[in-house]
């Protein structure tokens, strides 16, 4: 029998970013990460995802840590492993579109501080919102990975995905990721999708999914058999539920096959051992809610990501309208269709969900439209896969002419203005970017950082003249 060609699948480890973001609200501290890095560095991961997404905001807001400092410490520890981050296209790690000069500077500083691979996505899959970040990453000699937000709907045919993949390759991206944030990609669809993508493009293909709907590890199996090059997994104590399939399980699954990862289970077991007490502690303190650990089949029925469901339930609770739960669930796909059928991922998921709640509670659809709904229908978030519902668009924005250009083309450069605004707090170049993304949170953090340095006795502080004897 002919020797079967070896095609080891590569593993991207998410325990330092998406896994704890999904299960314990991004609360893992840098000090909790550092002691295990030396061991993790020996594994032979394709990369370790450790930055971006919500880690930046959470570090400043809840942990009183400088995210840049975290990145530098991780870079010092990982001598042999590539570090990866998640980047929301023109929104960077914030919630509004930024001017190109801010995006370029953020990419430059991320790579200078130790990031190797930047995974860039846009909630509308509007390629124009990814351009600046991809170009900047290549310019800084980083690896730019474009992630397409996976979703279901009439617009999202195999042709849609393959033509998007070709655009991503033409744009100069180093690799392509299918980002299945809600766990909607089922096993045999993965065979079909990965097969079609492998036939269309020559750049590596990575698959990212969540265990929310219970099918993720089977989906990985089928995707790898179809030629997927890299999969995202999490160390077992922070795996499953709304996180990713367990690293050790996937390593064991492919053992002895052409896709054998070659990773050492003994080493992985020691790493899992390190994270296990953190899991126990998170469960005991209620930081890890058992709700996020089970399978939520509603995800497949309504295509609503877990975080969006909990958001919606609390909005209904506030209005004493919990009995309207199923009405809102039925309204979500209708609103999504009106808004051009976007993928439901931050921030589009919140926009669609909130509008659906309003439509049901008001008893009339779009009697009240949120400012975000208006912005989507005005083209401010970019182009959608399908056209907007023209009647709804007219009802919500009236005779306002929607924009059709790339939204960031309307933004003036803003770096120097931002720097001028926060110059009193600046201790490192990166502080300007921290402030650009989260002005209030950053200011609070800078004040805290200054207070830590001076450790003033308030009793002897000369508050009238603003001078503090240290």
């Amino acid at each position: 029998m002919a020797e079967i060609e070896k095609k080891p699948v590569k593993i991207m480890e998410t325990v330092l970013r998406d896994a704890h973001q999904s299960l314990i609200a991004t609360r893992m501290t840098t000090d909790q990460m550092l002691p295990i890095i030396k061991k993790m560095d020996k594994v032979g991961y394709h990369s370790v995802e450790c930055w971006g997404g919500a880690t930046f905001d959470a570090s400043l807001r809840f942990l009183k840590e400088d995210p840049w400092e975290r990145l530098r410490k991780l870079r010092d520890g990982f001598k042999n492993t590539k570090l990866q981050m998640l980047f929301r296209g023109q929104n960077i790690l914030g919630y509004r579109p930024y001017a190109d000069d801010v995006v370029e500077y953020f990419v430059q500083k991320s790579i200078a501080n130790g990031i190797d691979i930047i995974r860039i996505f846009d909630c509308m899959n509007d390629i124009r919102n990814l351009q600046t970040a991809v170009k900047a990453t290549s310019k800084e000699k980083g690896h730019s990975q474009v992630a397409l937000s996976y979703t279901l709907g009439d617009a999202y045919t195999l042709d849609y995905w393959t033509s998007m993949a070709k655009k991503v390759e033409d744009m100069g991206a180093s690799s392509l990721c299918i980002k299945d944030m809600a766990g909607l990609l089922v096993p045999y669809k993965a065979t079909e999708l990965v097969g079609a993508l492998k036939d269309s493009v020559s750049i590596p293909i990575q698959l990212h999914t969540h265990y929310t709907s219970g099918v993720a590890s089977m989906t990985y199996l089928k995707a790898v058999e179809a030629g997927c090059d890299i999969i995202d997994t999490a160390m077992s104590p922070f795996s499953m539920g709304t996180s990713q399939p367990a690293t050790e399980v996937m390593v064991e699954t492919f053992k002895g096959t052409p896709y054998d990862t070659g990773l050492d289970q003994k080493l992985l077991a020691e790493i899992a051992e390190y994270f296990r007490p953190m899991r126990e502690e998170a469960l005991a303190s209620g930081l890890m809610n058992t709700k996020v650990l089970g399978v939520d089949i509603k995800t497949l029925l309504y295509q609503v990501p877990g975080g969006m469901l909990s958001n919606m339930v609390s909005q209904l609770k506030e209005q004493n309208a919990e009995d309207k739960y199923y009405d809102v669930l039925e309204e979500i796909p209708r609103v999504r269709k009106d808004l051009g059928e976007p993928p439901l991922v931050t921030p589009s998921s919140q926009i669609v969900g909130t509008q659906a709640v309003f439509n049901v509670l008001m008893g009339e659809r779009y009697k009240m439209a949120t400012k975000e709904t208006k912005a989507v229908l005005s083209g401010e978030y970019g182009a959608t896969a399908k056209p907007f519902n023209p009647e709804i668009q007219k009802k919500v924005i009236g005779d306002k002419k929607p924009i059709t250009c790339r939204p960031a083309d309307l933004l003036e450069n803003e770096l120097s203005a931002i720097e001028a605004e926060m110059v009193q707090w600046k201790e490192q170049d990166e502080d300007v970017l921290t402030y650009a993304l989260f002005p209030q949170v950053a200011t609070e953090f800078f004040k805290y950082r200054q207070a830590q340095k001076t450790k003033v006795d308030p009793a002897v502080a000369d508050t009238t003249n603003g001078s503090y004897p240290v």
Side-chain angles (χ1 to χ4, degrees):
M1 203 175 117
E3 178 72 12
I4 298 175
E5 185 202 351
K6 284 195 165 61
K7 293 180 286 203
V9 62
K10 299 182 171 123
I11 300 276
M12 195 265 266
E13 174 59 65
T14 68
V15 71
L16 301 184
R17 203 285 298 177
D18 200 9
H20 73 103
Q21 179 174 321
S22 298
L23 294 178
I24 58 167
T26 333
R27 295 297 202 277
M28 199 183 286
T29 64
T30 306
D31 287 344
Q32 286 177 307
M33 298 174 183
L34 295 177
I36 194 63
I37 286 178
K38 214 171 156 176
K39 263 191 190 153
M40 287 180 73
D41 197 31
K42 290 187 185 139
V43 172
Y45 288 121
H46 165 70
S47 64
V48 168
E49 190 192 37
C50 60
W51 212 61
T55 61
F56 199 93
D57 183 3
S59 297
L60 294 163
R61 195 185 297 264
F62 303 115
L63 307 175
K64 293 286 178 268
E65 287 187 7
D66 179 4
W68 298 99
E69 197 46 43
R70 169 180 296 186
L71 177 53
R72 291 190 282 265
K73 286 177 173 165
L74 292 172
R75 181 69 286 166
D76 282 347
F78 281 108
K79 309 275 189 242
N80 316 300
T81 311
K82 290 197 157 105
L83 300 185
Q84 183 157 343
M85 75 172 288
L86 181 67
F87 195 101
R88 297 189 193 119
Q90 214 64 34
N91 300 348
I92 312 182
L93 306 175
Y95 301 100
R96 70 169 177 92
Y98 293 87
D100 288 337
D101 64 338
V102 182
V103 176
E104 286 160 359
Y105 193 44
F106 201 99
V107 167
Q108 187 195 328
K109 283 297 181 191
S110 300
I111 292 174
N113 280 283
I115 288 293
D116 299 291
I117 303 170
I118 302 186
R119 176 179 290 175
I120 306 157
F121 78 100
D122 172 64
C123 76
M124 298 286 180
N125 284 337
D126 184 341
I127 293 276
R128 302 170 306 173
N129 292 337
L130 305 169
Q131 264 161 346
T132 303
V134 169
K135 271 202 189 101
T137 305
S138 306
K139 187 183 164 209
E140 298 300 323
K141 310 267 187 289
H143 176 116
S144 61
Q145 178 176 84
V146 166
L148 296 176
S149 301
Y150 181 77
T151 188
L152 305 171
D154 305 340
Y156 301 98
T157 58
L158 272 184
D159 282 348
Y160 169 87
W161 296 117
T162 53
S163 79
M164 287 296 278
K166 286 190 187 106
K167 284 179 190 157
V168 166
E169 187 170 40
D170 293 344
M171 198 177 172
S174 325
S175 62
L176 171 74
C177 172
I178 304 156
K179 180 178 163 64
D180 178 21
M181 55 281 163
L184 299 174
L185 183 60
V186 292
Y188 286 99
K189 283 284 177 222
T191 302
E192 219 175 84
L193 177 60
V194 172
L197 292 174
K198 287 304 272 186
D199 291 343
S200 313
V201 295
S202 56
I203 51 179
I205 292 170
Q206 185 156 354
L207 178 56
H208 171 88
T209 187
H210 289 254
Y211 218 97
T212 324
S213 58
V215 298
S217 46
M218 294 183 278
T219 298
Y220 276 168
L221 177 63
K222 285 299 184 192
V224 169
E225 288 175 350
C228 176
D229 301 284
I230 311 152
I231 54 175
D232 294 7
T233 64
M235 285 311 300
S236 54
F238 284 96
S239 71
M240 319 278 278
T242 47
S243 175
Q244 282 75 44
T247 305
E248 307 94 306
V249 173
M250 296 318 300
V251 167
E252 198 59 31
T253 300
F254 295 116
K255 212 177 181 161
T257 73
Y259 315 106
D260 196 329
T261 61
L263 303 191
D264 174 3
Q265 286 286 24
K266 245 182 47 220
L267 182 57
L268 291 174
E270 288 171 24
I271 296 168
E273 208 48 48
Y274 176 80
F275 286 108
R276 199 160 289 117
M278 278 184 222
R279 176 198 173 91
E280 301 306 325
E281 199 181 311
L283 278 167
S285 69
L287 183 56
M288 192 190 287
N289 186 328
T290 45
K291 272 204 187 80
V292 300
L293 299 175
V295 166
D296 187 352
I297 200 61
K298 286 198 188 82
T299 313
L300 287 180
L301 297 179
Y302 302 108
Q303 297 166 36
V304 177
M308 181 177 168
L309 269 181
S310 48
N311 219 359
M312 187 185 93
V313 171
S314 65
Q315 284 175 342
L316 289 174
K317 247 197 193 114
E318 274 166 33
Q319 303 298 323
N320 288 322
E322 288 165 274
D323 56 321
K324 299 278 195 272
Y325 179 77
Y326 286 100
D327 299 338
V328 175
L329 273 182
E330 279 164 27
E331 178 63 5
I332 285 173
R334 291 197 285 261
V335 172
R336 183 178 170 227
K337 231 181 178 92
D338 293 336
L339 301 191
E341 222 173 355
L344 296 178
V345 62
T346 308
S348 54
S349 49
Q350 285 82 343
I351 297 170
V352 168
T354 304
Q355 189 58 53
V357 169
F358 275 129
N359 287 1
V360 168
L361 294 185
M362 295 282 175
E364 180 195 323
R365 304 185 76 229
Y366 303 99
K367 182 178 183 175
M368 203 200 121
T370 64
K371 70 177 202 302
E372 289 79 13
T373 300
K374 287 178 184 150
V376 169
L377 292 169
S378 307
E380 289 167 35
Y381 280 89
T384 46
K386 285 215 148 167
F388 301 130
N389 177 337
E391 285 161 42
I392 299 299
Q393 190 178 26
K394 178 98 175 118
K395 181 170 182 178
V396 171
I397 65 168
D399 295 324
K400 183 178 166 188
K401 207 171 156 35
I403 65 165
T404 51
C405 65
R406 179 182 77 113
D409 287 343
L410 304 172
L411 300 175
E412 295 290 319
N413 276 352
E414 49 181 341
L415 252 184
S416 44
I418 290 169
E419 176 152 18
E421 207 176 286
M422 59 72 67
V423 73
Q424 70 185 100
W425 304 111
K426 186 177 162 186
E427 291 182 13
Q428 55 175 354
D429 290 345
E430 290 79 359
D431 289 345
V432 178
L433 290 164
T434 304
Y435 182 87
L437 263 49
F438 303 105
Q440 286 89 359
V441 179
T443 306
E444 286 307 303
F445 171 74
F446 295 149
K447 286 179 183 163
Y448 167 84
R449 181 173 68 182
Q450 212 160 33
Q452 290 304 97
K453 283 208 172 73
T454 46
K455 287 277 194 259
V456 174
D457 173 3
V460 297
D462 173 3
T463 42
T464 37
N465 302 315
S467 60
Y468 293 91
V470 178

